[in-house]
Amino acid sequence: MENKTKVIIVTDGDHTAQEAVKRAATNLNLYPLMITGGNPTNLSGEQVVRYIQDAPFDPVVIMTDDKGKTGMGKGEKIIDTLLDCNDITILGVVAVASNTNVRGVEVDLSVNIEGKIVNGPVDKDGFEEKYKHKRLEGDTVEILKYHPELLVIGCGDLGKMYGMDEVDYGAMITTKCFKEILERSGTIIV
């Protein structure tokens, strides 16, 4: 029987994102691995794997952040390491939009500023991109284009989006992203 640790990846790690991740994870009885927060994330992929394996329960939510670095930054190296780990199952990725000049990644769906599911990408503020715009531009998302098997859910800047994702209001959009990943991966939370 397969006994892999289930993981959700979030491609953001600044203070506001950390608070939203913590609240949303608590809302859904997920384990937020707060040590992975930071801008950038200051851990190696191997360290993150060990922390995941030591988590008291799963699914575990981790954060990866490149602090806007182009190319293969620390956050993307962590994702790469997790993809190679046989003891971990990645349920999905919350790809966070930012004002970064990158090619971006196609998403399976996004959660917009109103908490609604949309078929295309959203911008940093959570607004749906124009019809012909197909990619979500964000920090730490470039590696995802090499892994089309991953479930990728786009959203705006965690904990923000004109107050719609504030922790005081339950981090509604971050929570919705996690719920979509859990439902689409067939994961049941008790």
Side-chain angles (χ1 to χ4, degrees):
M1 181 172 167
E2 194 174 325
N3 196 19
K4 296 183 176 186
T5 305
K6 298 177 197 70
V7 174
I8 294 173
I9 297 172
V10 176
T11 66
D12 197 1
D14 65 24
H15 178 73
T16 308
Q18 289 178 48
E19 293 302 313
V21 164
K22 184 176 181 180
R23 178 60 186 267
T26 301
N27 291 345
L28 298 170
N29 197 30
L30 309 175
Y31 186 79
L33 194 57
M34 300 309 294
I35 197 164
T36 60
N39 186 10
T41 303
N42 283 316
L43 298 170
S44 69
E46 292 77 15
Q47 288 173 308
V48 173
V49 167
R50 284 195 297 275
Y51 283 120
I52 289 169
Q53 291 169 333
D54 290 341
F57 63 92
D58 71 341
V60 177
V61 181
I62 66 126
M63 293 165 274
T64 61
D65 196 315
D66 281 347
K67 194 177 181 180
K69 181 181 182 337
T70 55
M72 190 77 148
K74 284 185 173 186
E76 290 188 305
K77 287 178 183 172
I78 290 169
I79 294 171
D80 198 41
T81 301
L82 295 182
L83 287 165
D84 285 339
C85 182
N86 292 327
D87 299 328
I88 290 171
T89 297
I90 298 173
L91 300 178
V93 180
V94 177
V96 179
S98 65
N99 294 329
T100 306
N101 189 15
V102 294
R103 186 157 188 257
V105 65
E106 288 190 26
V107 295
D108 293 287
L109 59 100
S110 293
V111 178
N112 72 10
I113 190 169
E114 297 171 341
K116 295 180 180 171
I117 302 298
V118 296
N119 288 324
V122 294
D123 65 15
K124 181 176 180 165
D125 294 320
F127 293 107
E128 193 171 356
E129 295 277 14
K130 293 177 183 167
Y131 175 69
K132 296 203 178 216
H133 194 105
K134 298 290 183 201
R135 296 179 178 274
L136 179 136
E137 293 85 16
D139 183 23
T140 327
V141 302
E142 290 283 282
I143 192 171
L144 302 176
K145 67 186 173 192
Y146 301 113
H147 298 280
E149 75 281 5
L150 289 175
L151 172 62
V152 179
I153 298 191
C155 72
D157 206 355
L158 299 185
K160 299 173 187 164
M161 292 176 265
Y162 294 103
M164 297 302 289
D165 197 41
E166 282 187 12
V167 173
D168 291 344
Y169 300 111
M172 173 192 80
I173 296 167
T174 305
T175 301
K176 178 78 171 182
C177 290
F178 291 171
K179 270 187 183 176
E180 287 297 317
I181 288 173
L182 294 170
E183 287 173 9
R184 290 169 188 267
S185 67
T187 303
I188 298 168
I189 302 297
V190 183

